[in-house]
Amino acid sequence: MKTIRSFNRVLKEIFHLQKSFLIISFSIVCIQAIIPVMAAWAVKLIIDSLIVEANFNHTIRIVLIYLFTLSIFTILQNLLQKYFYQITEIKLKDKLKIKFCNKVKFIDNSSYEDPKYYDVMTRTITSGDKHYIAVSDTFFNFIGSLFIIAGLFSIVFVLNRYLLIIILFYVVFRLYLTTKINKYNYQDYVKSTKHNRYIDYLLRLFRLPTFINDIKLYSIDKIINEKYNDECKLRLDVKSKIYRKRNSYDILNSILELAFMGSIIIMLVYDIVFGRGTVGDFAALMNSTQQLGNSIVSFLLIIPRLKDHNMYITDIYNFLNYESKIEKEDGKFLSDIRIISFENVSFKYPKANEYTLKNISFNIEKGSKIAIVGHNGAGKSTLIKLILRMYDATEGTIKVNNENITNLNVQHYRSKFGVMFQNFDVYAMSVFENILLKKNIGSDTTDFQVFQDTLKKVDLDKKVSTLPNGENTILSKEFDENGVLLSGGEKQKIGIARMYALNKDFIILDEASSALDPYVEDNLYGIIFDSFKEKTVIIISHRLAI
């Protein structure tokens, strides 16, 4: 029942996202069911007309009718399968990927530090859409198999019902072997995920601009190559063990196919020799019997395949049904933030042995200008994550306006903040989009005026005016040959410009000026404190210069 509920849920979601995909899939299986039954009867009629009746004109009429009907169905099938199905499949996959990616916003940061859950999330985002498609295909294969079985069974039953005994034995053994093979395929899928993820990461290092200088300067490619080879070997060992076990069942499956085909041929030849069947019967039954056997197997395999798919779908729903402790949509709304209080707060990251922060107490009042200075690893950035409730305190209490932070609506609470994290980087989008975080719809809008004012404040207006496409220039060369690559300092200016443009009440700058020279840094902080007089500002740095 659990498997059936999972299938039902998937099909309902597909219907909601792209109902035309289900309609086209059903039309295809109907045509696929008609063609083999029609072909089997046509072959028998044509051969018997030639050999038994010896009526040439009658035979030609049968051939022409069959070819005309077949051409209609074939054209329709090709049109549906090779155009409409593929187009709607692409649309459905695109919508599913967005659905999975949108879920990430509601996953607690701590889950990213759980390898098992992270593997589930990786499998869902990278291949979850394929498993939704597979569920739909399996369902319609079930429907199609029913139609085909009904048609082919009638042919075999009418012409030679004894062949059904051979088909029965074939189906039983084939079902057992296929179930075993599917089990090993799933083991391969699950056990390879961790290795594939790390291998992908190592390969990604060679194409990310962030690491290319290290590769050239320190020959780090040697250790990357060694780790790549080691991980590939581990993955190969895992796959080899699974493939060795699976291979014996693959061989038995091939032997079974040959035995089944041989038995059918022997029985049909026997019937012709002893006058119990015609050559037309032989031709029709030879094709129909094999297809009937395979169709029954496909039909019966729906049960283990349902279970097989359910293993994958369970993965997806473990991801989609994840219940966050922090990223919830309930809680109280605040009109503004008057004071944030830390009361004996201690924190350590999940599965960590040592505390990052211990017994921290302080208040941040509205309009304050606060600098948090300390050495690397002192917990400065962790403090910001607690303020933003990216994590909950391990011990102690964090209050906002004397209300426990856990009682607040976290999305609405965070909407009060403008934050530039220390690992800030630009997106492969336009300058405008990187700063305003929305599309540029024209130079006569309020947003565009805000954008222009912001550029002047961070001294980027002249730089942007020289770019190939101005404010619409993409800040990456990966997807646009006219894109540009900014320096570290220029990227940080983009980040600070975003803080101006978003105009939040509470500003947090985490190492926001680390890539700027002292003169520009001093000037920038002057602008920040002047522009954000009425706002609460927290600046994090490991330098005392601020």
Side-chain angles (χ1 to χ4, degrees):
M1 286 299 294
K2 181 180 178 182
T3 301
I4 294 174
R5 284 197 298 269
S6 294
F7 251 59
N8 187 46
R9 179 176 174 179
V10 169
L11 291 171
K12 281 183 176 179
E13 286 190 43
I14 292 176
F15 183 80
H16 175 71
L17 293 172
Q18 194 70 43
K19 65 181 69 175
S20 57
F21 179 78
L22 298 179
I23 296 170
I24 292 167
S25 296
F26 180 73
S27 302
I28 290 171
V29 299
C30 288
I31 295 172
Q32 289 175 335
I34 292 171
I35 290 176
V37 176
M38 182 178 67
W41 281 112
V43 168
K44 172 179 167 51
L45 292 173
I46 291 168
I47 293 176
D48 284 347
S49 178
L50 280 173
I51 296 176
V52 179
E53 299 177 18
N55 187 331
F56 179 76
N57 290 332
H58 180 62
T59 302
I60 290 297
R61 280 197 297 272
I62 295 174
V63 170
L64 290 176
I65 292 171
Y66 169 65
L67 290 177
F68 175 77
T69 307
L70 180 63
S71 64
I72 295 296
F73 280 117
T74 302
I75 291 170
L76 187 57
Q77 181 183 356
N78 284 332
L79 189 61
L80 288 171
Q81 198 164 20
K82 296 184 178 180
Y83 179 73
F84 289 108
Y85 177 89
Q86 292 182 5
I87 292 296
T88 52
E89 181 186 30
I90 291 170
K91 290 180 179 179
L92 176 59
K93 283 184 175 181
D94 290 344
K95 292 176 181 178
L96 284 169
K97 285 187 182 295
I98 286 294
K99 176 186 175 72
F100 299 147
C101 289
N102 286 341
K103 173 65 180 178
V104 172
K105 186 177 180 180
F106 298 97
I107 294 174
D108 293 343
N109 286 28
S110 57
S111 296
Y112 286 82
E113 294 157 31
D114 179 355
K116 289 184 179 179
Y117 184 78
Y118 195 77
D119 283 345
V120 169
M121 181 168 63
T122 300
R123 288 196 293 267
T124 299
I125 292 176
T126 56
S127 59
D129 57 322
K130 296 175 185 175
H131 295 305
Y132 267 65
I133 299 296
V135 165
S136 174
D137 288 344
T138 299
F139 172 75
F140 285 108
N141 285 338
F142 170 82
I143 301 297
S145 294
L146 274 179
F147 291 161
I148 293 173
I149 288 169
L152 296 177
F153 181 87
S154 64
I155 295 174
V156 176
F157 185 82
V158 169
L159 299 180
N160 191 332
R161 66 191 65 180
Y162 296 107
L163 291 175
L164 296 174
I165 298 173
I166 297 177
I167 293 173
L168 178 62
F169 279 103
Y170 169 74
V171 167
V172 171
F173 286 108
R174 175 77 186 279
L175 196 61
Y176 171 77
L177 294 173
T178 305
T179 302
K180 288 290 186 181
I181 291 169
N182 286 341
K183 177 184 174 182
Y184 288 118
N185 286 339
Y186 180 72
Q187 288 181 8
D188 178 33
Y189 169 76
V190 171
K191 292 183 178 181
S192 297
T193 299
K194 180 180 178 181
H195 300 296
N196 288 335
R197 190 156 54 84
Y198 190 54
I199 288 170
D200 288 343
Y201 165 74
L202 293 171
L203 292 174
R204 198 163 66 244
L205 296 179
F206 286 99
R207 68 173 190 270
L208 291 176
T210 312
F211 300 102
I212 194 64
N213 290 334
D214 283 348
I215 290 173
K216 291 181 177 180
L217 186 60
Y218 302 117
S219 298
I220 196 176
D221 56 303
K222 292 180 181 178
I223 188 172
I224 295 175
N225 287 337
E226 288 173 5
K227 285 184 172 291
Y228 173 80
N229 290 330
D230 290 343
E231 198 67 26
C232 285
K233 186 178 183 301
L234 289 173
R235 182 179 64 176
L236 184 61
D237 289 342
V238 169
K239 286 182 173 289
S240 295
K241 290 176 183 177
I242 295 172
Y243 290 173
R244 276 196 297 270
K245 294 176 182 178
R246 191 186 66 184
N247 191 52
S248 58
Y249 292 101
D250 286 328
I251 293 172
L252 288 173
N253 198 39
S254 299
I255 293 172
L256 179 65
E257 291 275 1
L258 292 172
F260 174 61
M261 188 183 302
S263 301
I264 296 298
I265 292 173
I266 290 170
M267 181 172 280
L268 291 176
V269 170
Y270 180 87
D271 285 349
I272 291 175
V273 171
F274 288 94
R276 294 195 304 202
T278 66
V279 177
D281 292 343
F282 178 91
L285 287 170
M286 187 66 204
N287 186 43
S288 299
T289 306
Q290 286 179 283
Q291 288 198 53
L292 178 58
N294 290 328
S295 296
I296 294 175
V297 169
S298 297
F299 174 74
L300 294 177
L301 276 176
I302 292 296
I303 299 171
R305 201 179 299 169
L306 281 172
K307 294 181 179 179
D308 189 30
H309 284 312
N310 190 55
M311 291 186 285
Y312 296 101
I313 295 302
T314 298
D315 243 11
I316 295 173
Y317 286 138
N318 283 340
F319 170 70
L320 293 176
N321 294 336
Y322 169 85
E323 292 188 8
S324 171
K325 295 179 180 179
I326 296 177
E327 307 296 337
K328 297 180 178 180
E329 296 184 280
D330 57 356
K332 298 179 180 179
F333 285 61
L334 295 176
S335 57
D336 65 346
I337 299 174
R338 297 187 300 276
I339 185 171
I340 297 176
S341 304
F342 274 54
E343 299 177 357
N344 297 317
V345 170
S346 297
F347 176 78
K348 62 180 177 180
Y349 285 97
K351 299 183 180 180
N353 295 322
E354 297 182 359
Y355 283 89
T356 304
L357 298 172
K358 189 71 175 175
N359 295 329
I360 302 295
S361 296
F362 62 88
N363 294 327
I364 302 174
E365 296 183 359
K366 183 177 181 179
S368 300
K369 306 295 183 289
I370 297 173
I372 301 175
V373 183
H375 60 78
N376 292 332
K380 304 185 299 295
S381 296
T382 300
L383 201 63
I384 298 307
K385 292 174 184 176
L386 292 175
I387 290 174
L388 296 171
R389 207 191 168 203
M390 298 297 182
Y391 294 88
D392 279 333
T394 308
E395 298 169 10
T397 306
I398 302 173
K399 292 182 178 180
V400 181
N401 299 351
N402 293 319
E403 180 77 49
N404 194 314
I405 194 172
T406 59
N407 296 331
L408 304 179
N409 180 284
V410 69
Q411 283 81 31
H412 184 263
Y413 169 67
R414 289 183 193 146
S415 70
K416 305 293 183 182
F417 291 84
V419 184
M420 180 178 169
F421 292 104
Q422 67 180 84
N423 56 352
F424 173 84
D425 203 350
V426 295
Y427 297 104
M429 300 179 188
S430 72
V431 181
F432 185 95
E433 290 165 341
N434 265 282
I435 293 176
L436 270 293
L437 301 181
K438 60 177 71 173
K439 287 187 175 181
N440 182 8
I441 58 174
S443 58
D444 57 345
T445 62
T446 302
D447 284 339
F448 191 80
Q449 186 58 50
V450 170
F451 171 74
Q452 294 283 59
D453 294 341
T454 299
L455 289 182
K456 292 176 182 177
K457 285 183 178 179
V458 296
D459 196 27
L460 273 179
D461 51 329
K462 293 179 181 178
K463 171 72 177 181
V464 172
S465 67
T466 63
L467 297 179
N469 296 313
E471 68 277 0
N472 295 316
T473 301
I474 303 298
L475 299 183
S476 169
K477 284 186 173 294
E478 187 175 356
F479 309 108
D480 188 342
E481 61 182 15
N482 291 322
V484 297
L485 300 176
L486 300 181
S487 67
E490 288 170 336
K491 287 181 181 179
Q492 288 192 328
K493 286 184 177 182
I494 291 287
I496 294 169
R498 184 183 298 168
M499 297 305 99
Y500 284 122
L502 296 180
N503 194 31
K504 301 294 185 178
D505 295 331
F506 206 118
I507 306 298
I508 299 176
L509 303 174
D510 188 355
E511 301 285 3
S513 61
S514 58
L516 301 176
D517 63 65
Y519 174 77
V520 175
E521 180 185 30
D522 182 66
N523 184 53
L524 193 62
Y525 279 128
I527 296 173
I528 288 173
F529 289 123
D530 184 56
S531 301
F532 297 152
K533 284 181 180 179
E534 305 300 321
K535 301 181 184 298
T536 307
V537 180
I538 297 178
I539 297 175
I540 294 179
S541 178
H542 62 274
R543 299 190 297 207
L544 294 172
I546 62 170

